[in-house]
Amino acid sequence: MLQYNELSADPNAQTLKSIYVYEAPVRLWHWVQAVAMVVLVATGFLISYPPPSVGGEASDSFLFGYIRFAHFTAGYVLAIVTVLRIYWAFVGNDYAKQLFVVPLWSRQYWREMWHEIRWYSFAADKPLKYGGHNPLAQFFMCFVLMVTTFFMIATGFALYGEGTGEGSWANVAFGWVIPLLGDSQAVHTWHHLGTWVVITFTMIHLYAAIREDITSRQSIMSTMVSGYRTFKD
Amino acid sequence: MSAYETQGFRLDDSGKRVVVDPVTRIEGHLRVEVNLDGQNVIRNAVSTGTMWRGLEVILKGRDPRDAWAFTERICGVCTGTHALTSVRAVEDALGIDIPENANSIRNIMQLTLQVHDHLVHFYHLHALDWVDVVSALKADPKATSEFAQSISPWAMSSPGYFRDIQNRLKKFVASGQLGPFMNGYWGNPAYRLPPDANLMAVAHYLQALDFQKEIVKIHTIYGGKNPHPNWLVGGMPCAINVHDTGAGGAINMERLNLVSSIIDQTIEFIDQVYVPDLIAIASFYKDWLHGGGISSQSVLSYGDIPERANDFSAKNLLMPRGAIVGGDLSKIHEVDLRDPEQIQESVDHSWYQYPDGVKALHPWEGVTQAKFELGPKSKGTRTNIEQIDEGAKYSWIKAPRWRGHAVEVGPLARYVIGYAQGNPEFKEPTEKLLRTLDVPVPALFSTLGRTAARGLECSWAAHKLRYFQDKLLANIKAGDQSTANTAKWEPSSWPKVAKGVGFTEAPRGALGHWIVIKDGRIDNYQAVVPTTWNGSPRDSKGQIGAFEAALMNTPVAVADQPLEILRTLHSFDPCLACSTH
Amino acid sequence: METFYDVLRRQGITRRSFVKFCSLTATSLGLGSAFAPRIAHALETKPRTPVLWLHGLECTCCSESFIRSAHPLAKDVVLSMLSLDYDDTLMAAAGHQAHAILEEITAKHKGEYILAVEGNPPLAEDGMFCISGGKPFIDKLKWVAKDAKAVIAWGSCASWGCVQAAKPNPTQATPIHKVITDKPIVKVPGCPPIAEVMTAVVTYMLTFDRIPELDRQGRPKMFYGQRIHDKCYRRPHFDAGQFVEAWDDEGARKGYCLYKVGCKGPTSYSPCSTMRWNEGVSFPIASGHGCIGCSEDGFWDKGSFYDRVTQINAFGVEGNADRIGGAVAAVTGTAIAAHAGLTALKRARLDHGTGFDRNGEETGQRRDPQGGRRPAETAAVDQNTGRGA
Ligand code: HEM
Ligand code: HEM
Ligand code: NFV
Ligand code: SF4
Ligand code: SF4
Ligand code: F3S
Ligand SMILES: [Mg+2]
């Protein structure tokens, strides 16, 4: 079982200059999913608002078909790397588990969360130092991003299964989502709304990453490239 | 309540109360109670609309461009007419002109509805009030054939054909499972047709059932389906392409030909089956002239079928427009749907509530707020009504009035107004019919007259279909293929506040929709529907509506068989889903 | 008793063409020719099953659609295939003679009759928004449902609620599966459903003496298993990216895809694009208007029929996904900008007050009265535990 104390404002971070946090598969997954999501958002909007009509014979063009194909391909990629990432949560290092297990039961977690909130609202002068995620980031990563990712995969494949039809794996595995959310059009709407969650998350994510990189005296951006978190003091 | 006089009728509720609920072979839910005197003559009539869905409430806050689809679902029988009225109301509010082709297509849609609705009404909703199905078993197919051939050149009139039908009927009856004919009033002395005529009518009941599905294909071609075809604010959604690539996806030559051929078949069926049957049946009932109600006093028609697009003045409307009140046929009043003094609805006897102190409202100011309560004299309980108290609120139908008058609307109203205007398209066929039946003009003001006017109108509408289809073709030939005006499609192009009114002559009569648009959304939507007029409950002055008036003073042959009540009510073709909406 | 076979024979149809009819029926039901003899046998021998057709809050378009059926003809269904003993719209009897039929059939054919429901019961005002025989329709519905063998929910009214159940649903109109909970219900949605779908569902039940296989939402799979879009003839234009951009534009005249003007074909389950309407003459899309999704649950409350990105009504918020999501993103963006600004400000102040620069390096200009200790240590480390405070 994951020990909260080992991961949070962790002692290692107090003593070491650098920690190996993100193993190669995590880094690879991160960048693949980031690219997939960018493609999904872009093609997703094109699906909602198709580009101006092309002329000529219908059989001469497959423009919208390709846009949708790109979406579905990126959707598959996202789903596959997400599954692999879950696997890595079991076999990877402790930091790899942070996305999926948030120590909500720990008082210390909440104390540090409070500190992090104060830090973000300028009430505290400095953040705590972490190898992995700070409590606030971890919370968002798990409960906003990962939940949304699962939701987008479930709704995405439910919609995909409408095309592949009764008995296709997507329909069997995710078809139940449709009546759950009402009907097919409602699933589109929720899937579309989820897109905005992804966009909003990414905005915050990028801002926080850049900001922390500058202000928190620890490496952030380069960590997702090299895997090492380095501390500047 | 004691006896009182209104509109020339003496209402007396002292006799035996008879309840008919449900009234069947109509659209929706209707209850009727009458009081019979010692001679079984109706001396008091109470008609109660027993359903309400709240469409006017539901429409609030919605996109005006969607309203046609909602209002179309007010009724699947007069399908399309509310949608047309709705797009006209929105276009009126926003000042949108539609292309000439769209006008022709809309007229074709509306006329198709008229023809279809009248035909189905006559055979499948009304005929069993005049035709005794069981008596047809006794007919001689040969004599039936001779009779049929004597009144019409219609081809399917051989003895063999009628024998087949009769055999089928015999087997059906012998099966002991009478289906829709179970517990009918067969053998009632109010039935007057000889067996041969009954057999012919039953045969045509079945033929009409087969044929009606052909007529509506015109809706399917221009509107995509029937019931409930599609419409569009600004025109029609069916683009026309008769010359170019891709014409397969639009109204092309083949589609136009299909409409044309259906129109030809329709004219033939109406003129060779419906109209002759109507005359034949009427000739056996021409001294049963009850049920005129207020048709000889007060009638109203808004007019419809604009010859040219976007002109809704009376002279451009092929269906007559006007109001007659007080039985003065020499004076035809102008009708203005915008005038707050002319059309008003009250709810004294309806299950609705107006703000304090408000008696009657013009639809632009209309309020729809349900309030269900039974009067102190009603019998039974709140959820098990044994007898209605007509002294209190007693119907889900509001009470519309034209300058304070209860009026009758519908084919008879249109024919009376057309006749009074001396419009040859309406006057001549009416006179011809009166001559054929050898009855005087006042005979028109009766149950039978109402039924006859509907038949004449059906034929008129069928021929007008041909006229507008030809007109459409001519306009396309002249180089105009356009079907929609999208200049004001986007709500950003609309004024902040706009008011509009749209009207049609629906199969059952004058139909109006009043809309108020605010910030691109519906702020108020009010429909006053043909059956709202005809099925109206009393008003504060105790004036009765057309249904109640028509039932008055009618003798009933067998007190617990409501055959005559049904006959007269059916002559209006009641539509309760419409009336209350 | 007259059977369907009798009817056909009497109309001069030979045994051979009767068998052919049966195999055609089998094929059109998607059953394969092996089923033809079973259909033939059923049609030849069965007495007619009583059908009681009740009307609640509705517009009667389902009845109207039903009588448009071409194969089988409505006439033949009613006269020869089933026994339509009660139907407000068509029956000869009225008032208490009509009521007597219900009493008789429910008693005599207990557990054998089919209940077909058009429209739905309103529950508000004790059900008195729809009254029949002086009582709320819901009473009649429950009573007749009690001993029915199976129930058919005609149209979107009975299946989902339809227009009268659209917000704010003033009468509390309720789909029938919410009030009849102990009977198999076959939903045949559509506003209205296609005529031949209606007659096929009934004849299927009569022929095979069972209800058709239903999908997750209770609709017969054979007709509601695919979307309009899956078999729409305009699909090649969709894939190509050729759309009607505005009404009556060039694309409209060429029959391009109606997606951009709001077509709900991609989200609507109904056989409109395959069976089409009124003997295959057309269907909404083929006549130039997008599908409005009339077979779908709650299609009235999804916002405009002309938008693809439709309305969402959740958590008390109304608006479309882009308006809601866009607003959230915009607020977030603004917040980020403001936060970034404040951060820069704060850091500028810190630089002067702490003696450390942006990178935490000593600036030698420390003004901190506590002296010496780095802010991180002050803030983060609990003196007793050495851990974060
Ligand atoms: C971050 C993840 C995703 C985003 C941001 C995203 C975004 C979108 C958007 C905006 C739409 C248009 C919705 C509409 O307005 O109708 C859409 C449609 C769709 N998405 Fe996704 N999506 C994501 C993941 C997925 C996944 C994992 C799949 C699975 C294959 C998927 C499959 C689909 C399908 C099938 C459609 C409907 C396409 C159509 O009807 O033509 N999506 N997506
Ligand atoms: C749609 C786009 C993106 C998504 C969904 C996403 C998601 C994530 C997630 C889930 C993590 C946590 C990884 C873990 O704990 O295992 C993470 C970390 C990180 N991401 Fe992203 N990311 C996206 C784009 C980006 C981009 C564009 C950048 C940089 C330019 C970036 C930089 C980082 C960094 C630096 C970390 C490590 C944070 C840390 O050190 O704690 N991400 N991202
Ligand atoms: N009353 C009425 Fe209608 C008609 N005709 C509509 O306007 O029937 Ni359903
Ligand atoms: S489902 Fe639609 S068409 Fe059928 S009765 Fe209801 S409103 Fe009318
Ligand atoms: S017209 Fe509608 S159903 Fe047909 S392909 Fe386009 S979006 Fe799909
Ligand atoms: S609107 Fe209805 S009729 Fe079919 S094409 Fe769409 S489901
Ligand atoms: Mg009204």
Side-chain angles (χ1 to χ4, degrees):
Chain A
M1 189 61 221
L2 202 63
Q3 281 301 302
Y4 165 67
N5 285 347
E6 296 167 20
L7 294 174
S8 61
D10 60 66
N12 293 341
Q14 308 299 325
T15 52
L16 297 177
K17 274 279 169 201
S18 85
I19 311 169
Y20 189 50
V21 181
Y22 300 124
E23 297 149 294
V26 172
R27 280 152 26 223
L28 187 66
W29 154 79
H30 176 269
W31 295 114
V32 171
Q33 67 127 15
V35 170
M37 289 224 183
V38 169
V39 172
L40 283 163
V41 169
T43 53
F45 274 109
L46 285 171
I47 289 170
S48 301
Y49 305 102
S53 296
V54 297
E57 289 289 325
S59 51
D60 274 351
S61 168
F62 198 66
L63 178 63
F64 203 53
Y66 287 130
I67 290 171
R68 294 172 68 249
F69 180 73
H71 191 79
F72 306 151
T73 306
Y76 261 106
V77 168
L78 177 70
I80 290 166
V81 297
T82 303
V83 170
L84 293 176
R85 181 66 182 78
I86 293 169
Y87 166 75
W88 198 256
F90 288 99
V91 302
N93 66 16
D94 284 343
Y95 298 111
K97 299 173 172 56
Q98 281 194 312
L99 269 191
F100 307 98
V101 186
V102 183
L104 297 175
W105 58 88
S106 153
R107 291 170 137 260
Q108 179 147 14
Y109 171 82
W110 289 107
R111 266 205 305 276
E112 293 183 20
M113 170 77 100
W114 178 236
H115 179 82
E116 204 62 31
I117 290 167
R118 292 182 65 238
W119 157 238
Y120 270 94
S121 47
F122 309 104
D125 277 345
K126 285 282 159 180
L128 304 185
K129 295 200 277 184
Y130 294 94
H133 296 300
N134 73 52
L136 191 62
Q138 192 183 359
F139 190 89
F140 267 85
M141 292 287 176
C142 177
F143 294 110
V144 179
L145 184 70
M146 291 324 287
V147 167
T148 305
T149 304
F150 293 141
F151 179 79
M152 293 306 278
I153 291 171
T155 50
F157 277 105
L159 295 176
Y160 189 70
E162 294 191 288
T164 51
E166 270 271 331
S168 66
W169 83 263
N171 184 279
V172 171
F174 292 105
W176 53 271
V177 171
I178 295 172
L180 190 75
L181 293 180
D183 67 346
S184 171
Q185 184 66 22
V187 178
H188 271 263
T189 305
W190 285 107
H191 191 72
H192 195 107
L193 204 64
T195 304
W196 283 106
V197 177
V198 170
I199 292 170
T200 309
F201 169 85
T202 309
M203 286 163 64
I204 298 173
H205 177 59
L206 290 183
Y207 170 65
I210 295 166
R211 181 180 186 272
E212 291 297 283
D213 208 284
I214 297 171
T215 62
S216 76
R217 301 171 303 142
Q218 46 205 321
S219 71
I220 303 283
M221 308 289 271
S222 60
T223 309
M224 247 320 146
V225 179
S226 68
Y228 284 94
R229 172 91 72 233
T230 55
F231 299 95
K232 296 167 190 165
D233 52 46
Chain B
M1 191 189 60
S2 49
Y4 75 97
E5 299 252 348
T6 178
Q7 298 140 289
F9 299 97
R10 190 180 149 71
L11 270 60
D12 180 350
D13 66 356
S14 59
K16 177 182 170 200
R17 188 86 154 192
V18 171
V19 178
V20 187
D21 183 3
V23 173
T24 53
R25 273 182 287 128
I26 59 165
E27 195 295 329
H29 304 274
L30 174 68
R31 173 189 182 97
V32 163
E33 299 186 11
V34 299
N35 290 87
L36 299 181
D37 68 10
Q39 280 72 50
N40 278 354
V41 176
I42 297 174
R43 298 301 183 196
N44 177 40
V46 181
S47 105
T48 299
T50 47
M51 66 185 288
W52 180 69
R53 288 172 299 156
L55 266 292
E56 290 167 339
V57 178
I58 290 165
L59 277 161
K60 279 202 173 149
R62 298 188 185 260
D63 190 325
R65 294 168 301 179
D66 291 343
W68 68 260
F70 286 80
T71 60
E72 184 167 57
R73 269 71 183 181
I74 287 174
C75 185
V77 178
C78 62
T79 181
T81 196
H82 285 283
L84 173 57
T85 311
S86 177
V87 292
R88 281 182 180 165
V90 176
E91 286 156 5
D92 180 56
L94 302 173
I96 297 173
D97 280 348
I98 63 164
E100 216 41 71
N101 288 335
N103 185 60
S104 291
I105 295 172
R106 285 179 179 187
N107 283 340
I108 293 168
M109 298 286 283
Q110 178 74 349
L111 292 162
T112 300
L113 168 67
Q114 292 278 0
V115 176
H116 178 270
D117 205 347
H118 287 354
L119 179 73
V120 169
H121 174 261
F122 180 71
Y123 284 104
H124 307 115
L125 304 182
H126 199 17
L128 300 183
D129 303 328
W130 312 97
V131 174
D132 184 335
V133 175
V134 174
S135 145
L137 296 172
K138 297 195 291 260
D140 169 11
K142 234 180 112 209
T144 306
S145 163
E146 279 161 20
F147 176 64
Q149 288 175 17
S150 75
I151 61 166
S152 165
W154 184 244
M156 285 171 81
S157 300
S158 69
Y161 169 73
F162 286 117
R163 187 169 299 113
D164 266 3
I165 296 287
Q166 193 183 41
N167 283 338
R168 186 169 189 182
L169 195 63
K170 278 182 179 158
K171 273 197 156 182
F172 183 78
V173 172
S175 77
Q177 290 182 290
L178 282 185
F181 305 123
M182 194 170 173
N183 283 11
Y185 308 108
W186 320 125
N188 184 298
Y191 282 122
R192 298 203 184 158
L193 295 187
D196 300 342
N198 279 320
L199 178 56
M200 181 190 74
V202 169
H204 291 171
Y205 177 105
L206 297 176
Q207 265 185 45
L209 192 55
D210 291 349
F211 185 70
Q212 53 85 27
K213 73 179 196 309
E214 303 301 314
I215 305 174
V216 300
K217 288 176 182 168
I218 298 175
H219 275 191
T220 317
I221 292 163
Y222 292 127
K225 71 197 254 249
N226 172 284
H228 295 337
N230 293 304
W231 301 75
L232 187 73
V233 166
M236 284 300 287
C238 53
I240 297 172
N241 181 351
V242 288
H243 305 297
D244 297 324
T245 316
I251 298 302
N252 57 30
M253 205 57 219
E254 178 270 342
R255 300 273 92 181
L256 292 166
N257 287 342
L258 181 50
V259 172
S260 268
S261 91
I262 296 168
I263 291 173
D264 290 343
Q265 293 167 42
T266 301
I267 292 173
E268 196 180 2
F269 196 90
I270 302 305
D271 286 353
Q272 295 191 12
V273 183
Y274 180 1
V275 174
D277 280 4
L278 173 72
I279 295 170
I281 291 172
S283 66
F284 291 98
Y285 286 94
K286 62 187 184 182
D287 58 340
W288 198 84
L289 293 175
H290 302 285
I294 53 173
S295 61
S296 59
Q297 303 171 29
S298 306
V299 289
L300 171 73
S301 171
Y302 298 153
D304 198 356
I305 315 297
E307 164 82 55
R308 291 176 315 281
N310 309 311
D311 177 356
F312 292 96
S313 64
K315 61 180 188 322
N316 191 49
L317 301 175
L318 302 190
M319 271 191 170
R321 176 183 178 96
I324 292 173
V325 290
D328 182 2
L329 268 72
S330 67
K331 174 132 186 56
I332 294 165
H333 300 266
E334 297 267 322
V335 175
D336 181 357
L337 285 78
R338 295 164 199 276
D339 181 351
E341 301 300 311
Q342 293 197 13
I343 295 163
Q344 295 186 330
E345 285 185 309
S346 67
V347 296
D348 302 81
H349 292 274
S350 312
W351 285 316
Y352 304 93
Q353 190 175 5
Y354 276 173
D356 281 344
V358 175
K359 288 307 279 179
L361 291 170
H362 182 263
W364 268 333
E365 268 74 51
V367 173
T368 303
Q369 195 193 336
K371 182 181 197 211
F372 180 73
E373 62 184 19
L374 296 169
K377 289 194 191 137
S378 60
K379 293 191 185 149
T381 65
R382 185 181 152 82
T383 54
N384 185 7
I385 306 168
E386 283 155 22
Q387 185 177 319
I388 283 283
D389 174 4
E390 64 271 28
K393 290 182 184 289
Y394 69 93
S395 177
W396 283 115
I397 307 178
K398 288 184 184 174
R401 295 291 180 264
W402 188 79
R403 292 199 187 279
H405 299 276
V407 298
E408 173 169 336
V409 300
L412 179 57
R414 294 188 280 252
Y415 269 70
V416 168
I417 292 165
Y419 185 96
Q421 284 171 337
N423 180 335
E425 288 192 1
F426 296 89
K427 186 163 183 174
E428 281 166 16
T430 309
E431 283 178 332
K432 190 171 154 217
L433 180 73
L434 293 172
R435 272 198 311 276
T436 312
L437 291 174
D438 190 23
V439 289
V441 174
L444 272 178
F445 306 115
S446 65
T447 293
L448 194 63
R450 210 170 278 120
T451 299
R454 184 173 293 107
L456 294 182
E457 186 175 77
C458 189
S459 172
W460 177 87
H463 288 274
K464 279 289 174 284
L465 273 175
R466 160 71 35 235
Y467 174 79
F468 280 102
Q469 179 69 5
D470 291 347
K471 192 171 163 161
L472 174 66
L473 265 168
N475 202 48
I476 296 172
K477 196 172 170 198
D480 178 5
Q481 290 197 91
S482 90
T483 50
N485 168 6
T486 53
K488 291 192 186 153
W489 178 251
E490 288 304 326
S492 54
S493 64
W494 303 348
K496 254 188 90 62
V497 183
K499 273 180 171 189
V501 56
F503 62 86
T504 54
E505 280 299 320
R508 288 155 193 77
L511 169 64
H513 287 190
W514 284 257
I515 191 172
V516 181
I517 301 171
K518 228 179 225 159
D519 298 322
R521 299 266 140 190
I522 295 172
D523 192 51
N524 197 10
Y525 202 106
Q526 292 282 321
V528 183
V529 184
T531 306
T532 321
W533 289 103
N534 289 339
S536 160
R538 294 154 200 216
D539 56 27
S540 56
K541 289 188 267 174
Q543 293 188 95
I544 54 179
F547 284 3
E548 292 180 353
L551 290 170
M552 289 298 297
N553 306 330
T554 303
V556 175
V558 182
D560 70 346
Q561 292 197 345
L563 184 60
E564 295 87 345
I565 296 176
L566 293 177
R567 184 182 283 169
T568 289
L569 285 173
H570 286 158
S571 73
F572 289 94
D573 192 2
C575 176
L576 275 293
C578 268
S579 69
T580 66
H581 40 276
Chain C
M1 239 176 254
E2 193 180 54
T3 63
F4 190 50
Y5 176 63
D6 294 335
V7 178
L8 294 175
R9 283 309 289 266
R10 192 173 21 71
Q11 285 178 350
I13 285 160
T14 59
R15 174 80 203 166
R16 231 179 99 166
S17 45
F18 173 68
V19 171
K20 202 170 145 207
F21 167 86
C22 294
S23 59
L24 269 174
T25 307
T27 326
S28 72
L29 288 171
L31 296 163
S33 54
F35 277 89
R38 285 180 63 182
I39 296 181
H41 182 73
L43 295 178
E44 277 167 357
T45 54
K46 269 200 195 145
R48 290 161 21 239
T49 302
V51 172
L52 304 178
W53 185 316
L54 301 188
H55 293 245
L57 286 185
E58 41 85 76
C59 78
T60 310
C61 75
C62 296
S63 294
E64 285 284 350
S65 189
F66 189 84
I67 64 170
R68 312 283 194 266
S69 178
H71 49 274
L73 287 166
K75 168 181 84 182
D76 291 329
V77 176
V78 171
L79 293 183
S80 313
M81 300 172 103
L82 48 78
S83 191
L84 185 61
D85 293 333
Y86 189 97
D87 176 2
D88 303 61
T89 317
L90 290 175
M91 68 196 295
H96 59 83
Q97 286 93 351
H99 187 77
I101 295 175
L102 288 180
E103 307 228 291
E104 183 183 329
I105 302 296
T106 50
K108 228 166 83 183
H109 297 273
K110 200 170 169 158
E112 290 164 14
Y113 60 89
I114 292 175
L115 166 61
V117 186
E118 178 172 358
N120 53 30
L123 302 183
E125 206 66 81
D126 299 325
M128 297 302 270
F129 285 118
C130 186
I131 313 169
S132 185
K135 297 183 194 155
F137 169 67
I138 176 83
D139 290 5
K140 182 168 165 180
L141 177 65
K142 284 188 169 164
W143 165 52
V144 179
K146 194 164 83 54
D147 292 318
K149 173 154 105 181
V151 182
I152 302 176
W154 285 141
S156 295
C157 283
S159 301
W160 313 126
C162 207
V163 72
Q164 58 267 20
K167 278 176 205 305
N169 191 353
T171 62
Q172 217 184 308
T174 306
I176 64 164
H177 65 269
K178 299 224 172 117
V179 294
I180 304 171
T181 47
D182 59 344
K183 286 277 140 78
I185 296 181
V186 183
K187 289 183 191 151
V188 188
C191 190
I194 298 173
E196 286 79 14
V197 168
M198 299 178 78
T199 50
V201 168
V202 183
T203 46
Y204 182 98
M205 290 168 70
L206 300 176
T207 307
F208 298 102
D209 201 19
R210 62 169 152 85
I211 64 168
E213 205 187 325
L214 306 178
D215 72 358
R216 290 187 183 92
Q217 276 141 291
R219 305 168 292 197
K221 278 185 177 176
M222 56 197 180
F223 296 122
Y224 293 89
Q226 283 184 308
R227 298 168 302 169
I228 314 280
H229 184 65
D230 292 318
K231 288 185 169 161
C232 177
Y233 79 109
R234 298 196 183 201
R235 184 63 185 268
H237 293 300
F238 173 86
D239 290 329
Q242 297 177 317
F243 302 103
V244 173
E245 307 274 349
W247 300 107
D248 200 24
D249 69 358
E250 197 196 332
R253 293 184 187 177
K254 285 187 172 166
Y256 283 3
C257 168
L258 293 156
Y259 187 80
K260 279 192 182 178
V261 285
C263 181
K264 302 296 183 297
T267 50
S268 300
Y269 288 80
S270 181
C272 301
S273 54
T274 43
M275 289 175 62
R276 299 190 164 209
W277 279 81
N278 309 97
E279 278 190 272
V281 165
S282 186
F283 74 112
I285 290 161
S287 293
H289 196 286
C291 166
I292 65 171
C294 78
S295 58
E296 294 296 298
D297 193 358
F299 74 101
W300 297 106
D301 286 325
K302 303 265 152 81
S304 170
F305 296 126
Y306 302 102
D307 290 336
R308 265 305 311 165
V309 178
T310 56
Q311 209 78 6
I312 189 157
N313 303 296
F315 320 121
V317 197
E318 286 200 21
N320 84 19
D322 283 326
R323 270 199 299 276
I324 296 172
V328 170
V331 167
T332 307
T334 317
I336 287 175
H339 200 266
L342 283 173
T343 306
L345 215 72
K346 172 99 183 195
R347 277 178 59 75
R349 221 167 41 100
L350 265 182
D351 285 351
H352 300 297
T354 62
F356 297 98
D357 71 6
R358 276 163 216 284
N359 300 318
E361 303 298 328
E362 296 237 30
T363 60
Q365 296 178 4
R366 190 178 63 209
R367 259 180 263 151
D368 188 337
Q370 288 189 12
R373 288 180 55 212
R374 295 180 175 190
E377 288 152 15
T378 325
V381 183
D382 185 303
Q383 296 301 311
N384 300 320
T385 61
R387 295 248 169 88

